[in-house]
Amino acid sequence: MSVVFNVLVVDAGNTSIKFTALAGDQVLWVQRGDTCPAEPNFIPEVIYFASVRSKELSALLHADIQAVFPHSQWLTLSSQAQVCGVRNAYLEPERLGIDRWLGVVAAHHLIKGDVVVVDAGTAIKVDVVNQDGLHLGGYIAPGLTMMEEALLSKTARIRYDAHEVVAGHGLPNSTARAVAEGCHEMALGFLERLYQRYPTFKWVVTGGDAKTLLDLLGVALVYQPNLVALGAKLVGDERLKGSLKGSLKGSLRGNE
Ligand SMILES: Nc1ncnc2c1ncn2[C@@H]1O[C@H](COP(=O)(O)OP(=O)(O)O)[C@@H](O)[C@H]1O
Ligand SMILES: CC(C)(COP(=O)(O)O)[C@@H](O)C(=O)NCCC(=O)O
Ligand SMILES: [K+]
């Protein structure tokens, strides 16, 4: 019987940080925010930390979180050549974003077949992994907010108020709809091309913008908002087992 212990997964993306509390494999709660939530009746035995932010910001976040949970074991996760039966496509595996890597590992274990992973966040990432756990590679494209901000920052007259971004019918007939729906179409065209190329693959989607985008896509898919956290749990537990085995061997050697 495997021991059930509390895990806090920290998934620091470039827009938001997702804190996911698990008891064993059961997700207890997910909080999105800039500071570590201090739930009174949840103390993690171990914290799995996955950050795509800079080293400096990640170190500050590490210190903040460790101050809230000073007695929890800490494991910073990074992309590797192989883990949990999944092989990384990158020649330099550590350069693959940890969010992408964890999403690929989780999707492989969730779907157990050929799968396309879509993570619509600050950037829109798409990764392809086959049924044997071979990560075939993937794409990075600007996220919806990033596309919109690029248009606002590089033009003089694309200006509108948030309340003007309303759902409409037919071709956009306002600046707000032209931009919002133009950015959607850019992302949807990208995804539809990939769907044509991988028609037999299952699709798993995650990320803050997933629902916005994929309700429009009309593709049979599995929406898993906790995909990266579930990947962190799989990878972190494997890392933990490995270190426990190592220390056990060490102590047994010590007793020889
Ligand atoms: N509560 C929220 N706070 C911030 N962004 C949100 C929220 N809910 C949905 N979003 C959307 O999700 C996007 C961020 O997605 P997320 O997957 O968290 O990004 P990342 O992992 O890159 O930080 C934002 O651009 C926004 O459009
Ligand atoms: C592409 C990303 C910035 C996406 O991060 P996010 O949208 O979650 O903020 C991240 O996966 C990353 O930093 N990747 C490193 C480069 C690569 O994956 O090839
Ligand atoms: K992310």
Side-chain angles (χ1 to χ4, degrees):
M1 183 185 100
S2 64
V3 174
V4 172
F5 54 92
N6 284 351
V7 172
L8 176 71
V9 172
V10 181
D11 166 12
N14 286 292
T15 296
S16 58
I17 305 168
K18 281 73 67 183
F19 298 89
T20 305
L22 299 106
D25 291 327
Q26 189 201 347
V27 175
L28 302 177
W29 46 260
V30 182
Q31 293 197 30
R32 184 193 284 263
D34 292 329
T35 54
C36 184
E39 289 285 318
N41 52 4
F42 177 82
I43 306 281
E45 272 77 33
V46 62
I47 297 168
Y48 295 150
F49 183 71
S51 174
V52 294
R53 298 188 174 190
S54 69
K55 283 193 171 45
E56 297 73 20
L57 284 176
S58 301
L60 288 173
L61 188 53
H62 181 170
D64 289 351
I65 297 166
Q66 198 81 80
V68 177
F69 297 118
H71 307 298
S72 303
Q73 187 175 348
W74 184 276
L75 228 54
T76 295
L77 305 182
S78 54
S79 300
Q80 305 155 279
Q82 181 164 348
V83 76
C84 301
V86 180
R87 183 178 292 282
N88 190 329
Y90 271 34
L91 298 178
E92 298 171 277
E94 68 288 345
R95 293 187 67 177
L96 178 70
I98 184 61
D99 55 340
R100 294 176 60 192
W101 180 233
L102 297 177
V104 159
V105 171
H108 173 63
H109 285 262
L110 187 69
I111 298 297
K112 300 205 184 338
D114 293 331
V115 58
V116 171
V117 188
V118 180
D119 182 343
T122 309
I124 299 175
K125 293 78 72 184
V126 179
D127 281 285
V128 182
V129 53
N130 74 12
Q131 59 186 350
D132 304 322
L134 204 56
H135 174 230
L136 303 175
Y139 297 91
I140 301 170
L144 296 177
T145 305
M146 194 183 290
M147 285 195 261
E148 191 178 349
E149 284 171 352
L151 285 170
L152 290 168
S153 66
K154 298 290 184 190
T155 66
R157 294 178 181 271
I158 293 184
R159 297 293 180 272
Y160 49 86
D161 295 326
H163 74 269
E164 294 180 83
V165 183
V166 294
H169 301 286
L171 280 170
N173 55 3
S174 70
T175 302
R177 282 190 59 203
V179 169
E181 295 172 42
C183 295
H184 284 178
E185 290 302 321
M186 282 284 283
L188 292 168
F190 164 49
L191 295 175
E192 271 175 19
R193 275 175 57 85
L194 282 167
Y195 188 69
Q196 299 307 322
R197 212 181 304 168
Y198 298 99
T200 61
F201 281 49
K202 295 265 186 338
W203 281 50
V204 178
V205 297
T206 192
D209 284 329
K211 285 190 82 62
T212 310
L213 266 183
L214 294 144
D215 291 349
L216 299 165
L217 194 57
V219 161
L221 49 86
V222 171
Y223 172 56
Q224 179 36 278
N226 300 324
L227 192 72
V228 173
L230 296 176
K233 181 73 171 58
L234 287 165
V235 171
D237 284 0
E238 181 154 306
R239 279 262 316 267
L240 214 53
K241 265 190 297 197
S243 58
L244 282 177
K245 269 191 208 140
S247 55
L248 192 62
K249 275 192 197 133
S251 59
L252 289 174
R253 252 199 308 279
N255 297 334
E256 280 161 4

